[in-house]
Amino acid sequence: MGPSIELRNVGLTYGENVILQDINHRFSAGQCHIVMGPNGGGKTSLLRSILGLTPFSGEIDIQWEQSKGKLGYVPQKAMFEGSLPLTVMDFILLNQSSSPLFWRQNAKNKARALTQLERVGMANRADRRMGQLSGGEQQRVLFAQALLDDPQLLVLDEPTTGMDEQGVRYLESLIHELVADNRTILAVHHDVTAVRRLDGHVHVVNRSVIDNGSVAEVLVPEKIERLFNHYTAAPAVSSVDAENKKEVA
């Protein structure tokens, strides 16, 4: 069973720019949670706070059912030096251990990696260099890498960026499979049509959580335009200063 996530008075500022403010919210265990909202509303910042990648105020409690489980993370983009002769298999095995990469190329680890690559339709590209892949294909590899440790919590930041329709469907199928196995999925997503297919619990973030519920409750025409307008009021600073702040996603 995946964990639940409890947020208590969570806030985040960059300088004087308020990104998240007084969030008290809960993501239930074993469900698919989709975080949506306008650009600059704080979606990615919320995920980074939950992952402990950025400082925040308040408390974030990841509540595991028993002992602490494993977490998988898929960022918006693969980070690697494109000029390196790094194959897909090399890349996916990078997080296996602290041992040098050439020590990890054993049959057991490669078999595990190929299994996950098959789940995202990339097994036939295992020997291809990462730099030769499209952005969408690289995202599929990131997803396979995140699944290697069999995580109970999977955090996805715009996981379908650059993907073609086939890649999107692979990932949607996997997400349904993981939720059926009671894993907790927390994903930032912007595509309303794709989110409807996922049929998860939607949380709209615009500095705070301004709405949440099922797809049928939240993603209705009369709500969408209002929910996805960016929050423009000045936060605890002068209006002149607020106009000059750099918007942060």
Side-chain angles (χ1 to χ4, degrees):
M1 169 71 80
S4 60
I5 304 172
E6 187 85 26
L7 288 78
R8 305 184 191 95
N9 300 315
V10 171
L12 174 63
T13 61
Y14 291 140
E16 294 179 325
N17 195 16
V18 177
I19 309 304
L20 302 172
Q21 188 171 40
D22 298 329
I23 295 180
N24 290 280
H25 198 62
R26 180 180 176 84
F27 298 97
S28 300
Q31 296 184 16
C32 177
H33 299 281
I34 308 296
V35 178
M36 304 188 76
N39 292 334
K43 305 181 297 296
T44 291
S45 294
L46 179 62
L47 255 62
R48 289 180 60 82
S49 296
I50 291 171
L51 290 166
L53 297 177
T54 192
F56 60 89
S57 59
E59 297 179 51
I60 297 177
D61 186 11
I62 300 179
Q63 302 171 337
W64 302 94
E65 188 175 46
Q66 296 177 349
S67 59
K68 182 178 179 180
K70 294 181 178 179
L71 182 153
Y73 172 49
V74 180
Q76 289 185 17
K77 184 178 180 181
M79 301 300 292
F80 64 96
E81 175 51 58
S83 64
L84 292 175
L86 191 70
T87 68
V88 168
M89 181 59 69
D90 293 336
F91 184 85
I92 201 172
L93 291 175
L94 282 174
N95 69 345
Q96 284 295 93
S97 74
S98 58
S99 305
L101 179 61
F102 61 86
W103 288 3
R104 282 173 262 151
Q105 294 282 19
N106 60 57
K108 182 179 179 180
N109 286 345
K110 291 182 74 172
R112 287 181 60 212
L114 277 173
T115 296
Q116 302 309 328
L117 286 169
E118 285 173 1
R119 296 176 79 183
V120 298
M122 291 293 292
N124 63 341
R125 290 172 170 79
D127 295 325
R128 186 168 296 185
R129 290 188 181 185
M130 283 290 291
Q132 295 175 323
L133 302 183
S134 69
E137 288 173 331
Q138 290 175 9
Q139 285 300 108
R140 291 206 227 177
V141 175
L142 284 177
F143 202 104
Q145 187 184 58
L147 294 175
L148 271 182
D149 290 330
D150 194 27
Q152 288 78 48
L153 170 60
L154 191 59
V155 179
L156 315 171
D157 192 0
E158 298 281 9
T160 60
T161 300
M163 281 191 187
D164 59 14
E165 187 64 22
Q166 183 184 44
V168 170
R169 294 304 179 126
Y170 268 116
L171 261 64
E172 290 175 355
S173 177
L174 268 175
I175 288 172
H176 283 298
E177 179 184 323
L178 292 165
V179 174
D181 197 30
N182 293 317
R183 313 300 173 97
T184 302
I185 309 294
L186 182 59
V188 166
H189 216 312
H190 68 277
D191 187 329
V192 172
T193 301
V195 170
R196 287 194 174 109
R197 291 197 299 263
L198 288 172
D199 195 29
H201 199 88
V202 178
H203 311 258
V204 182
V205 174
N206 196 356
R207 187 172 297 162
S208 61
V209 178
I210 60 174
D211 200 2
N212 74 98
S214 68
V215 167
E217 292 169 331
V218 178
L219 298 182
V220 292
E222 58 268 28
K223 278 189 174 185
I224 288 176
E225 183 176 357
R226 172 177 58 83
L227 291 174
F228 289 80
N229 282 331
H230 191 271
Y231 187 91
T232 56
V237 294
S238 72
S239 59
V240 173
D241 285 343
E243 290 175 359
N244 293 322
K245 302 301 178 191
K246 180 180 179 181
E247 183 178 85
V248 181

